[in-house]
Amino acid sequence: MTESNLPSTGSANPSTHQFGLYFAVTASWTIALFGYYAQAQLLASIMQEFGVAEPATVLRFSSELLSYFLTVFCTAWPLARWSRVRTALIGCVIAIAANVASAYAPSFEMLIALRIVAGFGAGLVGASGTAAATSSLNPDRAFAIVTVGWGLVGGLEFIAIPYATAPYGTAGGYLLVAGVIVVLMPALVWLLPPRETEASDKGLFELIGSAPNRNLAIIALLGLLLYETGQSGVYTFIEQIGFRSGQDEFEVGRTLTGASYIGLLGGVLAIWLGNRVGRKWPIFIGLGLNAIAAAGLAVTDDGCLYIALNVLWNLAYYFVVPYLMGALAALDDLGRWAVAGDAFWNAGIVPGPVIAGALVEGYGYFPLSVIALVAGLGCMIMCLGVVTRREASEAPQSLA
């Protein structure tokens, strides 16, 4: 795609297109991640219809996610010059076709191949939305608003999925994903085009390689990778844990939706609190409570406790995310480590389901609880170390 084919950056004044931008990025994130968040509620139907065990099913999840996040990572640089609208629309067409085909996949092996294609299409859409948000006049505000909006819309998914899978099985779930993409696709025309910057001429690896505070950033990135590995392992079996707690698929959907919506209050609290107490205490409290909730969920068989721990898990998650991303942003004012952090964070979703599946099949749910706790607390220690050292380096030095 040549520069002449791109929309004029001057024709898209961010100050006059904020609502459209928020709507478009929210739609892009919903399209990109709808398939991922549907996975846990498709687990039982896939196992039953294709006659496969849990490890094989979660391997399919990881294949789709690996395709998604490799696509996001590899398109981060080109989207500094490509049309975000065109890229997103192409991704939608690919994702729609792959999801419709997945509904009628004749074999499990074919389903895996189709989900890899779906991950590629979703990755193009998600990357386009994130790139467009960074082109706004106030990216921080854009991401904050979109996160809340995406959370509100995404919460409905947990209720909707059972109404598609209960009567129609796996096919119903994938056709629902395709239908959501079709409905939201028109909103993508409001994605902001690229803006001319000096960084547009640099490759992604060059941008990351020249960023400051590299050693601290690497520690934080590895912490986020570890954290999400434990989180995604528990989420993969969140429906099965609900069944074990005495809830049916509709009750699980209502629980996950309610917990998701209540959890947004954690994000609202973080917005209100801001930097008044710094980042160390919010990271300590947020990651600590989040890790405890995830570990408790993995071993609970009580319905009330299942609901309460889901609420705590979501509250702590939405509360701590702004502080973790803020810590990365403080390492580089151009946001390069924040972008890399998002990639590493989501990359943890790839090994998580595989590790969780092997543990559950061989040893039950208790090791999954241990992994979630260790991963969460390990990330907390690493990120607190980064924040502490960064604050020490910024402290005024006394004169000799």
Side-chain angles (χ1 to χ4, degrees):
M1 188 175 296
T2 63
E3 192 68 33
S4 60
N5 290 332
L6 296 178
S8 170
T9 55
S11 63
N13 184 349
S15 64
T16 60
H17 293 278
Q18 290 303 292
F19 178 77
L21 170 66
Y22 301 151
F23 187 38
V25 178
T26 300
S28 73
W29 284 13
T30 302
I31 290 171
L33 295 173
F34 200 90
Y36 164 63
Y37 284 104
Q39 289 184 148
Q41 291 172 280
L42 288 171
L43 178 64
S45 60
I46 290 175
M47 291 170 57
Q48 179 180 1
E49 292 177 26
F50 291 98
V52 293
E54 289 174 338
T57 306
V58 297
L59 177 61
R60 185 204 66 75
F61 293 170
S62 293
S63 299
E64 180 177 348
L65 289 167
L66 179 61
S67 173
Y68 173 84
F69 292 116
L70 284 177
T71 301
V72 172
F73 186 77
C74 292
T75 55
W77 166 56
L79 280 170
R81 289 177 289 196
W82 289 358
S83 166
R84 284 79 180 267
V85 173
R86 294 180 187 175
T87 304
L89 292 178
I90 291 171
C92 283
V93 172
I94 295 172
I96 291 170
N99 278 288
V100 172
S102 295
Y104 304 101
S107 66
F108 184 69
E109 291 73 21
M110 179 62 72
L111 180 63
I112 292 178
L114 289 170
R115 298 321 300 168
I116 291 175
V117 176
F120 172 70
L124 291 177
V125 181
S128 299
T130 301
T134 61
S135 295
S136 68
L137 290 178
N138 191 334
D140 290 339
R141 179 176 175 80
F143 281 121
I145 294 174
V146 168
T147 297
V148 174
W150 168 65
L152 290 172
V153 175
L156 297 175
E157 177 177 0
F158 298 122
I159 292 179
I161 288 293
Y163 286 97
T165 57
Y168 305 112
T170 303
Y174 286 129
L175 290 177
L176 175 63
V177 175
V180 168
I181 299 174
V182 171
V183 171
L184 295 179
M185 190 174 172
L188 301 178
V189 299
W190 283 308
L191 291 175
L192 288 179
R195 293 199 295 175
E196 291 297 329
T197 65
E198 181 181 352
S200 299
D201 296 329
K202 294 184 178 181
L204 179 62
F205 291 103
E206 183 181 358
L207 284 171
I208 294 177
S210 62
N213 299 302
R214 186 179 307 174
N215 291 338
L216 291 179
I218 289 174
I219 294 173
L221 296 181
L222 293 177
L224 293 179
L225 177 66
L226 175 66
Y227 167 71
E228 191 56 32
T229 298
Q231 292 282 297
S232 62
V234 175
Y235 180 75
T236 299
F237 291 96
I238 197 67
E239 183 187 47
Q240 298 299 306
I241 296 170
F243 291 163
R244 192 178 61 182
S245 301
Q247 296 192 355
D248 61 28
E249 56 190 339
F250 292 97
E251 290 172 326
V252 168
R254 289 192 291 269
T255 295
L256 297 181
T257 298
S260 177
Y261 282 148
I262 296 173
L264 291 176
L265 295 176
V268 174
L269 176 61
I271 294 173
W272 174 80
L273 188 62
N275 287 325
R276 279 182 253 181
V277 296
R279 295 191 180 100
K280 287 188 287 189
W281 276 109
I283 288 176
F284 176 78
I285 295 172
L287 282 179
L289 291 177
N290 185 267
I292 292 172
L297 270 171
V299 294
T300 188
D301 57 4
D302 180 82
C304 293
L305 192 56
Y306 177 75
I307 295 173
L309 288 173
N310 264 296
V311 170
L312 179 60
W313 196 26
N314 280 270
L315 280 169
Y317 176 82
Y318 282 108
F319 173 73
V320 79
V321 165
Y323 293 102
L324 291 174
M325 297 306 293
L328 282 169
L331 299 178
D332 173 34
D333 58 4
L334 294 181
R336 285 169 285 189
W337 290 125
V339 173
D342 186 47
F344 269 73
W345 192 324
N346 289 310
I349 299 175
V350 177
V354 177
I355 295 173
L359 288 174
V360 170
E361 183 184 44
Y363 307 101
Y365 284 89
F366 179 74
L368 184 61
S369 174
V370 175
I371 290 294
L373 184 63
V374 170
L377 296 183
C379 176
M380 180 183 72
I381 294 171
M382 296 167 78
C383 289
L384 285 177
V386 169
V387 172
T388 300
R389 291 179 60 183
R390 179 58 180 166
E391 290 179 352
S393 68
E394 291 179 331
Q397 302 295 318
S398 60
L399 296 177

